[in-house]
Amino acid sequence: KNRQKSALRLARLHRKIRNIRLDFLHKRTTELVRTHPVIAIEDLNVAGMLKNDRLARHIADVGWGTFRALLEAKAKLRGVRIVKAGRFEPTSKTCSSCGYVLPELPLSVRAWTCPACGTHHDRDVNAAKNLLRFALTVA
Ligand SMILES: [Zn+2]
């Protein structure tokens, strides 16, 4: 009986978390398509990344696949243009200041300094700047 009760409680908790996550994804995607005429996204291989154990939990937690599906559907409805950077564009490894491309950049490295121009980059901010430039050249 007690085990049954705990199982039910756990299932309710999971459902609650799922609803909170979905609500967040809906709010963010609606806000993004309302406030931007062009949105650049990286065409990440979500299914492939889920096979990487270390990444899988984080990615599944955030719900990237759902985020992208919602974003694309809402963009289409509102006539917002979605520009995709190829999955193999070196958005993280390219210096957004001078264009220098690092030979490699392990995922664990969250910040780096460009050896060519000395600019210090946050990994994600730098990738976003490169994505923006890409979006503006094809848009
Ligand atoms: Zn540089």
Side-chain angles (χ1 to χ4, degrees), residues 50 60-61 63 79 102 108 111 116:
L50 284 173
D61 274 357
L102 285 175
S108 57

Side-chain angles (χ1 to χ4, degrees), residues 110-128:
R110 306 313 303 172
W112 56 281
T113 301
C114 176
C117 73
T119 306
H120 189 67
H121 296 294
D122 170 273
R123 180 194 187 98
D124 297 328
V125 172
N126 179 60

Side-chain angles (χ1 to χ4, degrees), residues 27-90:
K27 282 181 181 148
R28 282 299 290 148
T29 49
T30 296
E31 186 194 330
L32 284 169
V33 297
R34 263 197 199 140
T35 51
H36 299 79
V38 179
I39 297 171
I41 59 173
E42 205 158 8
D43 190 18
L44 297 171
N45 178 6
V46 176
M49 288 171 101
L50 284 173
K51 284 184 194 140
N52 177 330
D53 285 343
R54 276 194 308 152
L55 288 175
R57 218 164 57 91
H58 298 291
I59 294 168
D61 274 357
V62 180
W64 282 0
T66 308
F67 178 84
R68 192 168 67 188
L70 289 174
L71 188 69
E72 286 177 345
K74 291 177 186 183
K76 202 170 180 184
L77 283 175
R78 285 185 173 260
V80 168
R81 180 140 181 225
I82 298 266
V83 180
K84 288 181 195 172
R87 164 178 315 179
F88 301 108
E89 297 286 331

